[in-house]
Amino acid sequence: MMNFLVLPQLSINTDNKGFSLVVAGGRKPDNSWFKEVSKDKDIYCADKGIEIAIENNIIPKLLLGDCDSTNKSFYEKAKDFGTKVELHPREKDDTDLQLLLKNLPVKNYIFTGIWGGRFDHLFANVYSLLNFKLLNKNKIVMADEKEIMLLMDANDEVVVNLKEKPKAISILPLSKEVNVSIKNVRWELEKTDLIMLKPYAISNEALGDSFTFKCFSGCSGLYMIF
C-alpha cells in the first residue's frame, strides 16, 4: 500500500509506514508549520527542541539532552506533562542529537530544528542523520518552512508533489561518488555520476507541480529551499 509524507510545501510517495517527528535545537520552525506537521505524530526532542513543543502545548514522548542551551524550566514542564526526560552531563562526546538517535525506535522520521545557526552543527547533524538512516534502513527528512532535504541512498526513489514551487532544487553528493536521475526539472539528469568534491548539481528548477528523483548508488541529499 502506497503512503504519503505530507508537509505544508509538498508530499512525497513512500512505500513505508508513517513518520514520527524529532525536534532539535537549531532554527525554530514557524509555529503554524510546526503545528500542522506535528499532528498525529509521536514527538521526540533533543535539548532546546523542547521549547517549541511546550510553546505549542505538544507533549513529546522523550526529551534528551544536557540542558545547556535552554532553561531548566522547560525540562521540568516536560516532566510534569508526562514526558520521559533523560538529562545528561554537558561534558560528553556525543551531541544531544546523537544521544537521542541512540534512543529512538526504528521508524521513519522528520527532523526539524535542524537548519540555521552554526555550519559545524549542521554538518554534524547531516552526517549523524545519514548514519542513522544507513544503520536502520529508514526514511529521513530534514525540514522546516524554509528548507527541506531528503536523505537518499542506493535505490531510494521519490515522486515529489509540490504544493509550493521551490526557489531551487539541488542534489548534494554526501558520499565520495553518487549516481542519480532527476526528471521534470529544467536540467534533467539520467543516471549521472556526481562527486562530493564537485557538487555542481545545484539551483535546479521544477517545470511543473511534481518531479521524480532516484539515487542509484552512493548517498545524496535532495535539497529544496522555499
Side-chain angles (χ1 to χ4, degrees):
M1 179 178 178
M2 189 64 69
N3 295 301
F4 288 85
L5 165 63
V6 179
L7 297 174
Q9 304 99 313
L10 54 81
S11 66
I12 62 170
N13 66 314
T14 171
D15 55 3
N16 286 33
K17 295 181 180 179
F19 284 71
S20 293
L21 179 65
V22 173
V23 191
R27 181 177 68 214
K28 282 186 180 181
D30 175 78
N31 277 336
S32 60
W33 185 95
F34 181 75
K35 286 178 181 177
E36 184 172 345
V37 172
S38 61
K39 287 179 183 176
D40 303 318
K41 291 184 177 67
D42 290 335
I43 313 294
Y44 305 86
C45 292
D47 204 42
K48 194 175 180 180
I50 190 59
E51 293 184 8
I52 191 167
I54 295 296
E55 288 168 9
N56 287 280
N57 298 311
I58 291 171
I59 302 173
K61 294 176 73 70
L62 173 65
L63 165 62
L64 190 152
D66 55 20
C67 201
D68 70 339
S69 58
T70 190
N71 191 292
K72 194 174 181 180
S73 64
F74 285 99
Y75 274 66
E76 293 168 350
K77 288 177 183 177
K79 190 177 292 185
D80 290 342
F81 291 155
T83 298
K84 180 181 178 182
V85 176
E86 292 190 13
L87 183 61
H88 289 253
R90 186 175 181 181
E91 293 76 19
K92 60 187 188 308
D93 293 330
D94 289 335
T95 67
D96 292 325
L97 181 59
Q98 289 166 347
L99 281 175
L100 180 60
L101 292 177
K102 292 178 179 180
N103 288 271
L104 290 178
V106 178
K107 301 180 182 178
N108 298 321
Y109 287 96
I110 304 163
F111 286 82
T112 195
I114 290 289
W115 303 107
R118 289 167 41 176
F119 174 75
D120 56 342
H121 287 174
L122 178 58
F123 184 89
N125 288 343
V126 169
Y127 279 97
S128 296
L129 296 183
L130 180 59
N131 182 60
F132 180 66
K133 170 183 170 57
L134 294 174
L135 288 173
N136 294 291
K137 307 300 181 185
N138 55 355
K139 295 184 183 296
I140 301 297
V141 179
M142 304 164 56
D144 64 12
E145 73 279 4
K146 297 179 180 178
E147 297 174 89
I148 296 175
M149 185 160 72
L150 284 62
L151 298 183
M152 314 283 285
D153 67 346
N155 298 315
D156 278 346
E157 182 175 11
V158 294
V159 177
V160 180
N161 301 296
L162 297 168
K163 305 177 192 177
E164 179 182 341
K165 188 173 182 179
K167 296 177 183 177
I169 301 167
S170 298
I171 302 169
L172 306 179
L174 300 177
S175 57
K176 186 176 180 181
E177 296 178 353
V178 301
N179 185 273
V180 300
S181 290
I182 188 167
K183 300 294 183 183
N184 204 32
V185 292
R186 184 174 179 185
W187 295 281
E188 294 190 341
L189 300 176
E190 177 65 35
K191 291 188 176 180
T192 301
D193 292 323
L194 303 177
I195 61 173
M196 182 187 287
L197 296 182
K198 190 180 179 181
Y200 68 85
I202 61 173
S203 298
N204 215 327
E205 301 171 11
L207 293 181
D209 57 7
S210 69
F211 67 92
T212 60
F213 176 80
K214 183 168 183 178
C215 182
F216 292 92
S217 65
C219 300
S220 60
L222 176 60
Y223 172 86
M224 289 159 278
I225 185 167
F226 293 87

